[in-house]
Amino acid sequence: EYIEAKLKDYVVETRGVYIQDVILPEELVQVLTQREIANQEIQTYKKILSDQILVFDGAMGTNIQGFNPTLDDYQGKDGCNEILCLSRPEWIKKIHSDFFQAGCDFVETNSFGSNRVVLDEYGLKDQVFSLNKKAAEIAKEVANQYSKQEQPRFVAGSMGPGTKLPSLGHISFDELRGSYEEQSRGLIEGGVDLILIETCQDLLQIKAAINGALDAQKALKKRIPITVQVTVESTGTMLLGSDLATAITVLECFPIETIGLNCATGPQEMLSHVRTLSQLTDRFISVLPNAGLPENVGGKAVYKLTPHDFSKYLSQFVSEFGVNVVGGCCGTTPAHLKKVVEAVKNLKPQKRTPAKTAQIASLYQSVSLRQEPKPLIIGERTNANGSKIFRDRLNADDYDGLVGIAKEQESNGVHALDVCTAYVGRNEKKDMVETVRRFTLQSKVPLMIDSTESEVIEAALKLMGGKGIVNSINLEDGEARLEKICPLLKTYGAAVVALTIDEEGMAKSAAQKIAVVKRIYELAVKKYGISPENIIFDTLTFTLGSGDEELRKSGVETLNAIREIKK
């Protein structure tokens, strides 16, 4: 946005002119150079993954326990592994060193729980930045010692899920986002090469973490790759009930390079989920399982999968499903990863051709925008302007009654729910928050947030772990509406309805409708970076039975416009 604003004064009306042929102010040259450097880091990472399989390290916690830490080692903070970066840095260095000696390309920082939410439980909330920076510096020091031209070594900044789930109301989206921004700053300034958001259990938590990481990168003027790994329980879903297809739908809304799985189960139990990943996403894939399912031995969790068997599964993931990154989670040791390195060293990334369709999602399931049989059905009875029953229950503050209306529509087969709480005399934002908070957890269909107020829309999106739809954008006030709404779509991951309305009002003829559509597309896609599959055009029509001669052919004009837009 900054670059575009500066460039407006230096536009050259000549096609084919290279940027170096245009005299630019020094300030702008510096910004463009910074962006190019950032792009190079991302492109380098993508090229590496296109050419070879990367191996991450194994379990930090398991290997810390090998030192038999005492309460003194934890400085009285029992179980706070992150404090060992200060009290026992030599242990952490030894763990990193052992994994690099085993042949790993990446090690993860000892910072899994170093966010404000977790550290506050140990009375360490003021040390978030310093602990993360220290963890990154320790890992980077060891990586530099082992890095060679033929095998550079890298550091991933580990950020875990914390202990509070925003979808359940344990913590606000903004508070969690700020916590991850603070953690990311420390990791990036400490020198990490990648941000790893791992062991994710709540899709809303993931959105907060990604935004926090991006906030830190923007502030530090540095763009490094981001990997997100979800945890699928033995039940086949994430902790809150989201299936993997839903997670993919949500994650692909964001500028992340790798989507993966880690923790919860061993590689055998992950098999079907890895297959799903390979079939549904075109991003790079990472898989970091536990060393089998844990067994309780003498009150301790013991992981019994041998290094040989562990490596067989991971090499299968690479050769059969096109996995790009492999490594280990709970219970995995340098011995496990040494076998993995040996098993995948001669394997090359496999080309995948995933089936891609435009999707929306609730917290629990994804829904294709192209239904067979058609059409996609939007339930309108959860709209205060269109349903008297909904309006009456809203006036009575009967939110459970509103949930009942949503569930009734769901049972009748709607694919999404239009939620509008705008009603004279009531607080639209408060009503939207109270309604969406309940719908998100108690309804399985995605939500369409229907409001003319951007503050109301954003308040709703902050509560939605899924990928909803925003209703709507148009050109009635020129670009003003797009300027407010499009950034929200990118921040929270949502599709949008675009209406054929411009400064002259509702477009009447097919030609006028198409002209508005083209303007919206150019602005939304090329200026604001909205993916085309996330734009749903509504060509509108006028009332056909009004008797107005001018409107007699409105239906035909609408149908013609649809046909031409499809072309």
Side-chain angles (χ1 to χ4, degrees):
E1 293 88 346
Y2 174 81
I3 291 170
E4 285 176 352
K6 288 291 182 183
L7 277 174
K8 280 181 180 177
D9 295 331
Y10 303 99
V11 171
V12 179
E13 284 293 337
T14 309
R15 298 181 186 276
V17 175
Y18 292 102
I19 194 72
Q20 59 260 37
D21 295 328
V22 182
I23 298 174
L24 298 175
E26 181 61 27
E27 177 190 21
L28 183 55
V29 171
Q30 290 176 4
V31 173
L32 289 168
T33 302
Q34 289 169 353
R35 171 183 260 195
E36 183 60 30
I37 291 170
N39 284 338
Q40 285 176 2
E41 293 188 20
I42 299 295
Q43 293 308 317
T44 299
Y45 176 73
K46 289 182 175 180
K47 187 176 187 311
I48 291 172
L49 284 183
S50 298
D51 295 338
Q52 69 183 76
I53 308 303
L54 288 180
V55 180
F56 274 48
D57 59 3
M60 177 61 71
T62 297
N63 291 281
I64 284 175
Q65 290 306 307
F67 290 99
N68 297 312
T70 66
L71 191 59
D72 286 341
D73 294 320
Y74 286 121
Q75 296 185 350
K77 315 292 185 183
D78 192 19
C80 182
N81 286 338
E82 293 72 22
I83 202 70
L84 297 174
C85 290
L86 300 179
S87 63
R88 291 289 182 263
E90 69 277 10
W91 291 0
I92 309 304
K93 288 182 182 180
K94 179 68 165 59
I95 292 170
H96 292 325
S97 179
D98 288 348
F99 280 116
F100 278 135
Q101 285 184 14
C104 294
D105 301 293
F106 264 90
V107 296
E108 300 171 37
T109 55
N110 180 35
S111 57
F112 182 81
S114 282
N115 62 63
R116 180 170 289 269
V117 176
V118 176
L119 292 180
D120 190 26
E121 298 172 5
Y122 293 102
L124 298 171
K125 67 178 182 180
D126 294 330
Q127 296 189 44
V128 174
F129 177 84
S130 59
L131 275 175
N132 281 283
K133 189 170 185 286
K134 182 65 174 177
E137 289 171 342
I138 290 172
K140 196 63 178 177
E141 178 186 337
V142 180
N144 288 338
Q145 291 171 2
Y146 282 88
S147 193
K148 300 177 182 177
Q149 186 171 357
E150 64 273 18
Q151 188 183 10
R153 306 300 179 95
F154 305 100
V155 175
S158 171
M159 302 201 303
T163 54
K164 296 180 179 180
L165 303 177
S167 285
L168 297 183
H170 297 160
I171 188 171
S172 73
F173 183 92
D174 289 339
E175 186 179 356
L176 194 57
R177 178 178 177 174
S179 174
Y180 280 116
E181 189 270 344
E182 188 178 19
Q183 184 175 14
S184 297
R185 273 177 176 260
L187 292 170
I188 294 169
E189 292 208 17
V192 300
D193 304 289
L194 174 148
I195 292 292
L196 175 63
I197 302 167
E198 60 175 326
T199 323
C200 300
Q201 302 160 347
D202 178 356
L203 296 177
L204 194 55
Q205 169 252 323
I206 296 174
K207 292 185 182 185
I210 293 173
N211 275 287
L214 292 174
D215 290 342
Q217 293 187 25
K218 185 175 182 179
L220 297 173
K221 295 183 173 61
K222 186 175 180 64
R223 174 76 170 94
I224 61 175
I226 297 175
T227 292
V228 175
Q229 292 177 164
V230 301
T231 294
V232 177
E233 307 291 335
S234 54
T235 57
T237 67
M238 295 171 65
L239 184 64
L240 294 186
S242 310
D243 63 28
L244 189 53
T246 301
I248 293 168
T249 296
V250 171
L251 290 174
E252 288 191 339
C253 294
F254 298 96
I256 61 175
E257 284 64 46
T258 310
I259 296 175
L261 297 163
N262 81 297
C263 207
T265 67
Q268 181 177 354
E269 295 76 19
M270 280 187 179
L271 194 62
S272 65
H273 306 311
V274 177
R275 181 183 292 109
T276 298
L277 264 178
S278 71
Q279 292 172 343
L280 296 183
T281 186
D282 56 6
R283 306 290 172 95
F284 294 114
I285 296 176
S286 62
V287 182
L288 280 67
N290 293 342
L293 291 171
E295 297 180 25
N296 192 323
V297 179
K300 293 185 177 181
V302 176
Y303 298 86
K304 295 187 175 180
L305 191 64
T306 67
H308 174 75
D309 290 340
F310 183 79
S311 65
K312 279 199 332 186
Y313 281 110
L314 268 61
S315 62
Q316 178 188 358
F317 293 163
V318 171
S319 58
E320 289 189 23
F321 303 123
V323 170
N324 308 94
V325 178
V326 291
C329 203
C330 302
T332 55
T333 64
H336 286 88
L337 274 301
K338 187 173 189 298
K339 282 292 184 182
V340 171
V341 170
E342 293 171 358
V344 305
K345 65 181 179 182
N346 294 321
L347 298 179
K348 293 294 182 183
Q350 301 297 307
K351 189 171 181 63
R352 290 179 283 111
T353 53
K356 301 291 292 178
T357 58
Q359 304 273 331
I360 52 175
S362 66
L363 182 62
Y364 307 109
Q365 65 183 20
S366 57
V367 173
S368 174
L369 288 176
R370 293 185 180 274
Q371 288 292 317
E372 291 298 338
K374 297 177 180 178
L376 181 84
I377 301 171
I378 309 293
E380 292 278 356
R381 294 190 62 211
T382 45
N383 184 324
N385 293 313
S387 169
K388 184 177 184 302
I389 296 175
F390 186 87
R391 189 162 59 243
D392 289 344
R393 291 183 181 177
L394 191 64
N395 267 329
D397 293 328
D398 181 9
Y399 294 107
D400 290 336
L402 301 185
V403 171
I405 296 173
K407 288 191 171 184
E408 182 183 356
Q409 290 200 101
E410 184 181 330
S411 66
N412 286 334
V414 302
H415 301 117
L417 293 171
D418 182 271
V419 184
C420 177
T421 58
Y423 188 55
V424 178
R426 292 190 62 87
N427 185 326
E428 182 189 2
K429 183 177 178 180
K430 175 181 178 297
D431 285 339
M432 180 65 81
V433 166
E434 294 296 335
T435 303
V436 169
R437 180 180 286 128
R438 290 164 172 81
F439 281 12
T440 295
L441 291 175
Q442 298 183 55
S443 174
K444 290 187 176 182
V445 297
L447 304 181
M448 175 187 282
I449 304 304
D450 191 346
S451 176
T452 59
E453 302 299 323
S454 58
E455 287 186 6
V456 174
I457 292 170
E458 182 167 21
L461 293 175
K462 286 180 180 181
L463 300 170
M464 294 166 55
K467 175 187 176 183
I469 306 172
V470 171
N471 190 8
S472 56
I473 56 174
N474 61 64
L475 298 173
E476 184 176 11
D477 297 318
E479 199 181 325
R481 181 76 174 162
L482 275 74
E483 192 174 18
K484 289 181 179 179
I485 300 302
C486 288
L488 301 182
L489 306 178
K490 294 185 69 175
T491 297
Y492 302 103
V496 68
V497 174
L499 308 178
T500 51
I501 302 174
D502 64 7
E503 296 87 346
E504 304 300 320
M506 281 176 59
K508 295 178 181 178
S509 70
Q512 290 171 331
K513 294 176 190 293
I514 292 166
V516 175
V517 163
K518 286 182 176 179
R519 279 183 65 194
I520 291 176
Y521 182 93
E522 288 292 315
L523 287 167
V525 174
K526 297 185 179 180
K527 180 169 184 177
Y528 294 103
I530 305 303
S531 296
E533 69 267 19
N534 289 330
I535 305 174
I536 304 163
F537 287 110
D538 183 347
T539 53
L540 304 174
T541 192
F542 288 81
T543 303
L544 305 183
S546 67
D548 188 332
E549 184 63 32
E550 186 185 7
L551 304 180
R552 188 177 296 278
K553 293 183 179 180
S554 292
V556 174
E557 295 293 338
T558 296
L559 293 172
N560 287 340
I562 292 171
R563 184 178 296 110
E564 290 303 313
I565 292 166
K566 287 282 188 180
K567 288 179 184 178

